[in-house]
Amino acid sequence: DRLAGIISTSIAESAKSIIRDKGTLLCKLSMLTNSDRERLSAFASLEKQEVEAKLYHGLFENQAKLDPDKTALIACDRTYTYAELDREANKLANALIEKGVQKGDRVAFLLPRTSRQIIAIYGIMKSGAAYIPCDPEYPDERIRYIIENSEAKYILTDSQRDFENELNIEELLSRDNISKPETDVRGEDTAYLIYTSGSTGRPKGVVIRHSGIANYLTPLPQNCHIKALADDGSVYVSVTTVSFDMSLKETAAALCNGLTLVLANEDETKDPVKLCELFKR
């Protein structure tokens, strides 16, 4: 009944606009009441606040400093505290730098839903590069296209896939350097590239900058979703494939705001019974 009332009011407002402004283009007609306009104006006039942290991975690093011993990640292969996860990401970043990765480079990864996915995301950014997530179920032709189109310097894998520039993440994580890399990454630099489904042709890469993600993930009062998550959340389960941008709302929203991230494995993301069992655990 309420929805019907809203629709009826909108139709009535449109009709009034047509009668009142006979020469107006259809695209200029308004369906808003005066009270609707006042509410929208109130949203638009909210005070803007400057985001302190400008880097996507910088938000995660801040959480690692604030609560190093809190459980950050529960994955099917192992569990990490914030300090442990930060050290693993540093280790990967330093290993990539040794391989010649520099600020502005791009590094793809093709990994199953284990802790290595999360380490890859933050490790690549800490090296100064932008990450490109690929779903392991992608056909090789699509993966090669993404690597070539993005000009990715390397692709991280956990098993041999016979790509020319692949690196085994386990070998990189066997290194010992856990110090925080010094890279001059700034807010305007690229954090990651996400490739569209390609339903209308070949996939197209979309560039996402650090400042935009940092803005989205910062729990300011105006940012209702992230603010509520940071204030009231505790454990966040991720079920979305990393190659879909929506996964950032699960993984980054949790780890950049001090929650415990639970990374559902492949079976749990596809079987609702197993997913319910994960929720209970």
Side-chain angles (χ1 to χ4, degrees):
D1 289 345
R2 184 182 176 190
L3 179 58
I6 292 171
I7 293 171
S8 297
T9 302
S10 297
I11 293 172
E13 287 300 315
S14 297
K16 289 177 185 177
S17 295
I18 293 170
I19 295 168
R20 184 174 58 248
D21 306 310
K22 296 180 181 178
T24 303
L25 296 173
L26 284 175
C27 63
K28 300 292 184 182
L29 295 176
S30 176
M31 299 179 73
L32 300 177
T33 64
N34 288 333
S35 61
D36 290 335
R37 292 190 187 90
E38 289 175 5
R39 291 179 67 189
L40 287 174
S41 296
F43 285 126
S45 63
L46 284 172
E47 182 184 351
K48 295 180 180 178
Q49 289 182 249
E50 188 70 18
V51 174
E52 290 184 14
K54 302 290 186 182
L55 301 181
Y56 173 177
H57 61 281
L59 293 170
F60 165 70
E61 290 173 338
N62 289 345
Q63 293 300 326
K65 290 177 185 175
L66 287 171
D67 207 348
D69 297 325
K70 181 176 181 178
T71 299
L73 174 65
I74 300 172
C76 60
D77 55 325
R78 66 162 291 177
T79 296
Y80 288 93
T81 65
Y82 270 91
E84 290 170 338
L85 190 60
D86 191 43
R87 285 196 293 269
E88 289 298 297
N90 285 344
K91 192 186 294 184
L92 178 60
N94 288 317
L96 288 171
I97 292 170
E98 288 178 15
K99 290 287 186 180
V101 171
Q102 300 176 348
K103 174 187 170 181
D105 284 339
R106 296 165 177 184
V107 178
F109 66 84
L110 186 68
L111 300 166
R113 294 182 64 84
T114 70
S115 62
R116 279 18 188 177
Q117 260 193 14
I118 305 301
I119 292 168
I121 289 173
Y122 292 98
I124 291 169
M125 288 191 291
K126 281 171 173 277
S127 75
Y131 72 87
I132 306 166
C134 293
D135 192 313
E137 295 185 0
Y138 282 170
D140 285 357
E141 181 183 357
R142 179 185 174 94
I143 296 166
R144 287 194 173 88
Y145 169 78
I146 290 173
I147 293 171
E148 292 172 6
N149 182 261
S150 66
E151 299 180 337
K153 191 160 191 170
Y154 293 112
I155 180 167
L156 303 183
T157 63
D158 67 339
S159 59
Q160 188 171 349
R161 293 287 296 259
D162 294 326
F163 295 108
E164 289 182 10
N165 54 348
E166 74 178 40
L167 295 174
N168 188 287
I169 193 170
E170 298 303 331
E171 191 277 324
L172 297 177
L173 289 173
S174 67
R175 312 291 179 85
D176 297 324
N177 187 356
I178 61 171
S179 60
K180 179 182 175 180
E182 296 298 327
T183 54
D184 185 29
V185 182
R186 302 183 182 183
E188 63 268 23
D189 293 325
T190 304
Y192 68 94
L193 283 81
I194 200 83
Y195 273 76
T196 63
S197 62
S199 57
T200 57
R202 284 195 158 187
K204 296 173 180 64
V206 180
V207 173
I208 311 295
R209 305 191 187 284
H210 279 276
S211 57
I213 293 302
N215 181 65
Y216 167 70
L217 293 172
T218 300
L220 296 174
Q222 303 95 315
N223 192 354
C224 303
H225 168 65
I226 299 297
K227 175 68 173 169
L229 191 68
D231 289 348
D232 303 321
S234 57
V235 179
Y236 207 142
V237 176
S238 173
V239 298
T240 306
T241 174
V242 73
S243 62
F244 182 36
D245 210 30
M246 187 65 69
S247 66
L248 182 129
K249 291 187 74 172
E250 302 166 350
T251 60
L255 291 174
C256 292
N257 285 285
L259 282 73
T260 296
L261 171 66
V262 177
L263 190 66
N265 65 28
E266 300 289 349
D267 290 341
E268 289 160 345
T269 63
K270 297 171 183 175
D271 187 329
V273 174
K274 290 181 179 178
L275 187 59
C276 286
E277 291 171 354
L278 177 65
F279 287 159
K280 290 177 182 178
R281 290 201 303 277

